[in-house]
Amino acid sequence: MKNILFVASECMPFVKTGGLADVVGSLPKCIDRKYFDCRVIMPMYSFMNQKWKDMLEYKTHFYMDFNWNSYYVGVMEVEYEGVHVYFIDNQDFFTCDKPYAGMPYDIGRFAFFSKAALSILPSIDFRPDIIHCHDWQTGLIPVYLNDAFQANEFYRGIKTVMTIHNLKFQGVWDVKTMKDIVGLPDYYFTPDKMEFNRDGNMLKGGLVYANAITTVSRTYAEEIKMPYYGEGLDGLMRARQNDLRGIVNGIDYDMWNPKTDGLLVENYDSDDFKAKKIANKTALQEELGLDVDPDVLMIGIVSRLTDQKGFDLIAYVMDELCQDAVQFVILGTGEERYENMFRHFEWKYGGRVSAQIYYNEALAHKIYAASDAFLMPSQFEPCGLSQLISLRYGSLPIVRETGGLKDTVEPYNEFEGTGTGFSFTNYNAHEMMGTVRYAEKIYYDSREEWDKMVKRAMDADFSWQASALQYQELYDWLIG
Ligand code: ADP
Ligand code: GLC
């Protein structure tokens, strides 16, 4: 039996701001239990729903040196759907109303978390063969492991994997402050290690010291070796390309299943979706105060409202698109200008645009089920889970060909009758609009072709099965 430990700042169902939580919450369940004991460590945030807090069991506590102080480290535990999840409790760092507090606070919070995650291992009696780190919040783990922890035999020989879910966020702050907080010597703050444009960079530390690096799609693994997508680390990505793989994300097929989803008005599968998706559509139209029209093309958006997701393209052409026979349903939160933009369009095109500016799991399910198409014109997209969910719910993705969107959405080919969605190449608003209009044309003029495409989309397999095997191969190869 090999031991694998995931360490991450969010994990479904406990805390989620984006796809990272979905991956950390669902992948461990799909790692083969016959060969691997896969566990998770995350912070115990004070804002966590009481329902989850009540499930946790106190394991142990101790004090740990950090940033010139001695800090309480509490360990709570729950076994959830067969996976052991540990929570690191400290009120100084994790009393908050959302996971991320901004810089420079997060440097200290997640450096503490990373050191604590390593420190608790002997007391929970779990020696991982591999520590699988996710994103910049855990970037210091491979560095700490290489440093003082080597003095303790328990830690020697533990291997690390660093997974990049989003290279845009790296945990960067000035060297002097960072060095002081994280407690690493000068040795680590050189350009071949954690220094980055004269600042300190936590993700870079992880990428230099991890035994293997993965990211969440093949195309993104190629893209980040180039300056446009590399966020200043493309040189390091090229230098480590032999240790870098792209393994595409899957989604939790139990949670995202239109046949059993309790939040839908009517359940459906790839054989009987036609009438039943319409029932979901009209129910949502009623719920949100849209014009009730079973035949109109409904386009869904469920997203963090940030530049990454291509909302400036939508801003350019939304007025023009709203002249067409379409409805837009938007669910999301994020940058204020995009929140206000969608509120404005709802006001301007009442009955045809609905802007729901908040976070809501249940409404997300309903939108995936109700909409006919799903718009995701990202500027960059490491993988993207929303398009995978929309495929499964028969809402055809309209995407830009980048990262995981390129790898998971097969563009419609009207001559060969293949494809599961629509895509365009350049980051250009009119190219996007042309593609949306092409989708409108197929929807209104060739409904049979559209329906066949919905069936192909719903039948495509984006469960974790194949990708979990690739992670297992990687673990085996590293353990040797
Ligand atoms: P990212 O991680 O970059 O935000 P992904 O597509 O990988 O993008 O994952 C986004 C996840 O978050 C999906 O499961 C999506 O349904 C969900 N999501 C995003 N915004 C909201 C929201 N406002 N309400 C509910 N779910 C949301
Ligand atoms: C990040 C990326 C997204 C990816 C998710 C899970 O948030 O933006 O593309 O799907 O992580 O890996």
Side-chain angles (χ1 to χ4, degrees), residues 119-307:
S119 303
I120 70 169
L121 299 176
S123 53
I124 60 172
D125 199 19
F126 186 71
R127 184 189 177 279
D129 295 284
I130 301 223
I131 303 184
H132 190 154
C133 308
H134 297 267
D135 273 355
W136 76 266
Q137 295 87 354
T138 56
L140 285 183
I141 288 180
V143 187
Y144 282 140
L145 192 61
N146 176 73
D147 195 63
F149 284 88
Q150 286 299 313
N152 182 338
E153 198 185 342
F154 178 91
Y155 294 95
R156 275 183 233 143
I158 295 180
K159 298 279 179 21
T160 50
V161 177
M162 185 81 232
T163 292
I164 303 168
H165 294 266
N166 194 334
L167 197 55
K168 185 145 194 111
F169 305 105
Q170 301 178 3
V172 175
W173 203 253
D174 75 86
V175 168
K176 194 171 164 301
T177 313
M178 185 180 284
K179 205 164 59 184
D180 211 42
I181 297 176
V182 308
L184 285 165
D186 282 339
Y187 171 79
Y188 291 99
F189 293 89
T190 56
D192 58 331
K193 304 188 193 78
M194 282 175 63
E195 189 187 318
F196 175 76
N197 299 333
R198 302 225 175 88
D199 285 326
N201 183 324
M202 305 210 336
L203 178 66
K204 191 175 172 196
L207 295 173
V208 168
Y209 282 98
N211 297 96
I213 302 171
T214 72
T215 187
V216 287
S217 67
R218 267 174 197 245
T219 294
Y220 195 60
E222 292 305 315
E223 287 172 340
I224 57 180
K225 291 183 223 160
M226 296 183 278
Y228 182 79
Y229 293 99
E231 304 287 345
L233 292 176
D234 45 298
L236 176 58
M237 291 299 131
R238 288 194 297 277
R240 294 217 62 186
Q241 59 185 327
N242 291 335
D243 307 308
L244 166 67
R245 335 190 164 181
I247 302 178
V248 73
N249 287 333
I251 51 173
D252 186 331
Y253 262 34
D254 297 329
M255 185 161 97
W256 299 108
N257 183 353
K259 190 73 191 162
T260 55
D261 191 330
L263 297 160
L264 310 190
V265 175
E266 292 244 16
N267 289 110
Y268 59 93
D269 59 25
S270 66
D271 291 321
D272 65 0
F273 64 87
K274 245 193 117 163
K276 297 182 173 173
K277 261 186 90 65
I278 288 179
N280 282 293
K281 172 154 62 173
T282 50
L284 189 67
Q285 288 168 332
E286 268 173 41
E287 182 181 335
L288 299 180
L290 288 162
D291 300 338
V292 176
D293 177 353
D295 198 47
V296 71
L297 175 71
M298 181 188 275
I299 300 178
I301 294 176
V302 178
S303 182
R304 290 184 294 120
L305 302 180
T306 66
D307 280 337

Side-chain angles (χ1 to χ4, degrees), residues 19-20 23 165-166 216 249 304 308-309 381-385:
L20 170 64
V23 172
H165 294 266
N166 194 334
V216 287
N249 287 333
R304 290 184 294 120
Q308 173 190 340
K309 304 291 178 180
E381 197 61 73
C383 179
L385 300 175

Side-chain angles (χ1 to χ4, degrees), residues 410-423:
E410 188 193 344
Y412 176 53
N413 181 324
E414 60 187 30
F415 306 104
E416 293 179 3
T418 55
T420 54
F422 302 88
S423 64

